[in-house]
Amino acid sequence: MADRFTSMQVFVKVVQLGNFSAAARALGLSPTMVTKHVTTLEARLGVTLFRRSTRHLSLTEAGRLFLEGSQRILTDLEEVELAVSEQRREPRGHLRLNAPVSFAIRYVAPYLPEFSRLYPHVTVELGLNDRTVDLIDEGWDLTLRIRKMAASTLRSRRLATIRMVVCAAPSYLERAGTPTRVEELSQHQCLGYTLSAINSANRWSFGEKGEKTIPISGPLSANNGDVLREAAVAGEGIVYQPVFVVSEELRAGRLRALALDLPPLPGPDLHAVYAPGMSLPLKTRAMIDYLTQCYTPTPPWEQELQSCAGHSTPPQEG
């Protein structure tokens, strides 16, 4: 294929300069090599491209047709190469970013206007999905995942650590009492998240290594943290959620964190996940670097709690 493009370039240069010798000098090739490229083209196409005489060189009808196509192809190739090389210097293009629903609404979407200001040649398509998407099959450039990363051919960068918290509305605690031991949770109304294999709709785990598992039940389970948060705020029960889902409600006092005899499980890390390749597209690298700056050294959901509590952890109500 490379030889075909080279032969095409040689052919166009011969037409532009009017003879083989001038084309050879312009391209830094020998006249013999220029002749070879043209004759190879003619042999492959099965046509004569030039009418040759000792003093004149002109195109045949087939030659004119091939010239038009060659110029179009070479121009397209040059434009593609230029666009790709510009991407190495400045992020540009269409970036497809996928993220969990609750996290994306609160801590991705609000930051995108500033990203667009910094990188005006990048357009962003944000997809919200709590399931694990297939980057390659579904055509995503980048996905944010809040989970422990298993061995995979995908590449990732850790952006932040997510803390877990158990909390409930003051109205619920006043009505049902405030649990202080994890075993008491089985006697309470608990709102379960159905997409988690560890803290699911019917059991919650506690301790640094998940050494204690408690059966739970309640009036509602859902596959979305926002739904469970709003039910908890309405006083329907206790939730066990990542801090980012409930930070605003904890700050405002609409929910209270519970101080139990065992800590919540260590939270999963937030990862930026992307497909393997020779080099990471500049648009994707720009988004990863930008989000890293947004979430470090202290994630905004933790900053919200610090600003109201004056310390690095949310108030634990007992």
Side-chain angles (χ1 to χ4, degrees):
M1 182 61 70
D3 285 344
R4 293 177 69 178
F5 278 116
T6 302
S7 297
M8 196 178 292
Q9 291 171 324
V10 169
F11 167 74
V12 171
K13 186 62 68 175
V14 170
V15 174
Q16 291 172 343
L17 299 181
N19 63 75
F20 283 46
S21 297
R25 288 192 298 271
L27 296 170
L29 300 174
S30 67
T32 301
M33 183 58 68
V34 169
T35 301
K36 181 178 180 181
H37 276 292
V38 173
T39 55
T40 299
L41 270 177
E42 291 178 326
R44 183 169 59 247
L45 297 171
V47 297
T48 300
L49 298 174
F50 291 107
R51 296 188 186 93
R52 299 170 176 83
S53 69
T54 56
R55 305 181 68 178
H56 187 67
L57 193 67
S58 63
L59 287 172
T60 63
E61 183 64 30
R64 283 193 291 273
L65 181 62
F66 189 70
L67 176 64
E68 292 174 4
S70 297
Q71 289 175 325
R72 183 173 60 253
I73 291 171
L74 293 174
T75 298
D76 289 345
L77 178 61
E78 184 177 351
E79 290 177 353
V80 169
E81 289 177 340
L82 179 61
V84 171
S85 64
E86 285 181 348
Q87 282 194 332
R88 293 178 60 84
R89 295 190 296 271
E90 180 181 7
R92 60 177 60 235
H94 187 65
L95 177 71
R96 301 191 71 226
L97 169 65
N98 189 278
V101 177
S102 300
F103 186 82
I105 291 172
R106 286 195 170 188
Y107 298 108
V108 178
Y111 298 102
L112 293 182
E114 177 64 11
F115 179 84
S116 295
R117 187 189 70 79
L118 292 171
Y119 303 104
H121 299 298
V122 179
T123 59
V124 179
E125 176 185 345
L126 177 62
L128 279 59
N129 207 312
D130 285 333
R131 67 176 175 83
T132 300
V133 300
D134 189 310
L135 273 81
I136 298 173
D137 286 351
E138 299 180 40
W140 298 103
D141 297 294
L142 182 67
T143 182
L144 303 184
R145 291 184 181 173
I146 302 172
R147 64 185 62 216
K148 297 186 184 299
M149 294 298 297
S152 170
T153 58
L154 298 174
R155 299 168 65 188
S156 66
R157 184 196 295 183
R158 189 179 72 83
L159 302 180
T161 295
I162 308 294
R163 280 193 308 116
M164 301 295 292
V165 63
V166 182
C167 55
S171 61
Y172 174 83
L173 299 175
E174 290 170 7
R175 183 178 74 251
T178 302
T180 58
R181 300 171 64 246
V182 295
E183 285 87 354
E184 296 175 42
L185 293 173
S186 61
Q187 306 303 316
H188 279 263
Q189 294 183 0
C190 296
L191 310 174
Y193 182 60
T194 59
L195 292 184
S196 173
I198 300 175
N199 292 326
S200 63
N202 53 28
R203 67 180 187 276
W204 288 348
S205 296
F206 294 87
E208 290 298 320
K209 297 182 179 179
E211 54 266 26
K212 188 71 171 181
T213 298
I214 304 299
I216 58 102
S217 61
L220 174 69
S221 60
N223 65 354
N224 177 262
D226 290 341
V227 171
L228 298 176
R229 180 192 64 233
E230 294 307 309
V233 169
E236 286 197 49
I238 299 172
V239 290
Y240 190 173
Q241 285 289 302
V243 167
F244 72 80
V245 176
V246 294
S247 60
E248 293 182 10
E249 287 68 28
L250 289 170
R251 179 187 59 187
R254 293 190 292 273
L255 292 175
R256 293 180 184 169
L258 304 182
L260 300 169
D261 60 333
L262 284 175
L265 281 173
D269 289 336
L270 169 67
H271 288 90
V273 184
Y274 50 97
M278 291 290 291
S279 62
L280 188 63
L282 200 54
K283 62 181 180 180
T284 307
R285 185 182 301 278
M287 177 61 78
I288 294 174
D289 290 343
Y290 174 72
L291 292 177
T292 298
Q293 293 174 3
C294 291
Y295 304 148
T296 57
T298 303
W301 49 92
E302 296 287 0
Q303 293 176 21
E304 292 167 358
L305 296 178
Q306 290 180 24
S307 65
C308 71
H311 49 68
S312 60
T313 58
Q316 300 290 309
E317 300 291 340

